[in-house]
Amino acid sequence: MDIDSGKRIIVFGAGGRVGRAAVAEASARGHRVTAVVRDPARHPDLERPGVAVVRGDVTDPGSVAALAAGHDAAVHASVRLDVPSEEYFGATTKALVAGLTAAGVGRLLTLGIAVTLGLADAPDVRPMDAPDFPAEWRAFAQGHVVEFDLLTARAGPELDWLMVVPPMDLDAEAERIGGYRTAVGTALDGPGRIAHADLALALLDEIETPRHSRVQLAVSV
């Protein structure tokens, strides 16, 4: 794809593993990318033709709106382990909905976590609700539950969104296989793993040709 005919995509949390994979995949496809990080000086390796690395705050709707103006789609891949999960994902979701809407960005893809999905053979059963599920993981997963609920409640028709949910075995070092499977709202049967590069493939496919809207989409190999 010629870079002049590609989309403009903004990636929040571009310094993390999923964010980096999304930036790389978007750039390889000829899209223009704005890579948002908290400290650009820490991520000089993100710079490449067609990629602008900028400082931003995904919890601030004003920052989101200013940076996202003129973009076609946004990817949210940020995470903070030093802030309570519900607080952080609540703040980012409110800022993204308000900021992207103000900026006129029509598509948001955000990341979820598999334990918030129903099991493939028992859609009403979530692993995070099991009594022996680790409490610290439940607390983190609850942030993504809050995120999904806020997107459902707050995003108007002008902002289409999708929560892409990889399995727990998400491997930055695994080789890309160039494919993936999907399921809406429930986990997938099978090996339950995916490489970051293949997750990025799914994200960019949904930006270029949206097939799912306002749901949790499980993605695995």
Side-chain angles (χ1 to χ4, degrees), residues 115-150:
V115 295
T116 66
L117 293 170
L119 301 175
D121 56 354
D124 295 330
V125 177
R126 301 185 305 182
M128 65 177 286
D129 296 329
D132 59 346
F133 191 79
E136 63 274 18
W137 275 98
R138 183 181 296 110
F140 181 77
Q142 187 60 35
H144 287 286
V145 174
V146 168
E147 181 181 22
F148 183 78
D149 289 345
L150 282 171

Side-chain angles (χ1 to χ4, degrees), residues 12-32:
F12 294 93
R17 291 180 174 181
V18 175
R20 286 175 176 276
V23 170
E25 181 67 24
S27 176
R29 295 189 186 201
H31 300 298
R32 290 172 291 170

Side-chain angles (χ1 to χ4, degrees), residues 1-7 28-31 208:
M1 179 184 293
D2 184 273
I3 197 165
D4 291 330
S5 63
K7 293 180 179 292
R29 295 189 186 201
H31 300 298
E208 291 183 348

